[in-house]
Amino acid sequence: MSAQERLTDALYGLGWGTVKKLPEPVAARLGRSVADLAWKRRGKGVQRLERNYARVVPDASPERLAELSRAGMRSYLRYWMESFRLPAWSAERVRDGFEPKDLHHLTDGLAAGRGVVLALPHLANWDLAGAWVTTALGTPFTTVAERLKPETLYDRFVAYREGLGMEVLPHSGGAAFGTLARRLRDGGLVCLVADRDLSASGVEVTFFGETARMPAGPALLAQQTGALLLPVTLWYDDSPVMQGRVHPPIEVPGSGDRAEKASLMTQALADAFATGIAEHPEDWHMLQRLWVADLEPRPSEGERA
């Protein structure tokens, strides 16, 4: 393990070990202070966040983009402060911390014995939404986690999410897919954060007018198992309670081959995500490259000439 990896692991350990013990107002103020400091330093993550917001709000002035990125960093640190503290929250605090709208799409699907795939973008606090599902609905679910470095940090995230009642699988392609399919065929629930492709082989979609890649997994799982595919979007308001919406099911197209159906369904997911992100751009925590134009290598000087 490198010195940088040891430092990263230690900082996350400090967060889960210390921040969860702070009074909630103190943790909130700390989060805002750290966010403002990071925003003022304008590191690569903040710059990328601002460039991503420029796609979401194309008519925004530089001043508006700066305001959005500051609000975005505050939202991002709110996510971390809440996540560090979630293991110490009471069941009542978890139940009171989230108010989803149109929940019947989820509960009706589960009551009918169908498997359900919930697909979310990186909006607000998806871990809190998951904890609410296991606590308020009493419904366990399965998810996947990106393998992080160092391995000890990945282990921390798995332990954290398992402590919230989730079954966590490593993001390892076919092995994870097979387990998720079995859970769905048994009428279970699968939750996937699905606005950024981690495999470099995702489905191309039009997202805010440009081409991006998103994972095909949610659509393929729904096709193969007959599960409902439900987009979910989240946002913060001025209260301590996170808001959310369960969108109507994305149906499997009646014609086309497996890949064509997955493409259409993933585009429908992207459209639902875009609706939620456009309404609350500051709660979209996308500090990484997403659009294909940003992923492609730039031509050399000779090629441009």
Side-chain angles (χ1 to χ4, degrees), residues 22 28 77 102 155 194 217 269:
L22 297 175
L77 264 294
D102 299 326
D155 292 340
L269 262 186

Side-chain angles (χ1 to χ4, degrees), residues 31-68:
R32 286 193 297 271
S33 297
V34 173
D36 289 348
L37 177 61
W39 178 77
K40 288 176 183 176
R41 295 180 67 177
R42 291 194 60 77
K44 289 182 179 180
V46 173
Q47 293 179 48
R48 173 55 53 192
L49 182 67
E50 212 162 280
R51 286 194 287 269
N52 289 340
Y53 285 160
R55 254 88 170 222
V56 176
V57 191
D59 58 348
S61 65
E63 293 77 16
R64 172 61 178 149
L65 287 175
E67 291 173 0
L68 270 176

Side-chain angles (χ1 to χ4, degrees), residues 202-233:
V203 174
E204 288 197 351
V205 296
T206 300
F207 195 54
F208 291 101
E210 292 191 44
T211 301
R213 292 193 189 101
M214 293 187 181
L220 291 173
L221 284 166
Q223 276 190 63
Q224 292 192 17
T225 67
L228 282 177
L229 175 56
L230 302 176
V232 176
T233 53

Side-chain angles (χ1 to χ4, degrees), residues 24 31 34 80 133 153 171-172 190 206 218 228 239 247 261 274-275:
E24 196 155 335
V34 173
W80 279 112
V133 167
L153 180 58
H171 186 273
S172 53
V190 165
T206 300
L228 282 177
S239 76
H247 295 253
K261 291 178 180 179
T275 298

Side-chain angles (χ1 to χ4, degrees), residues 138-187:
T139 302
F141 66 87
T142 305
T143 188
V144 297
E146 179 183 359
R147 278 205 173 276
L148 303 171
K149 292 185 177 180
E151 191 74 15
T152 51
L153 180 58
Y154 171 77
D155 292 340
R156 285 186 190 274
F157 271 95
V158 170
Y160 155 65
R161 289 182 171 133
E162 288 180 341
L164 299 176
M166 311 175 194
E167 179 188 21
V168 183
L169 306 176
H171 186 273
S172 53
F177 188 94
T179 302
L180 295 173
R182 286 194 295 274
R183 300 292 183 269
L184 292 169
R185 290 191 180 101
D186 290 339

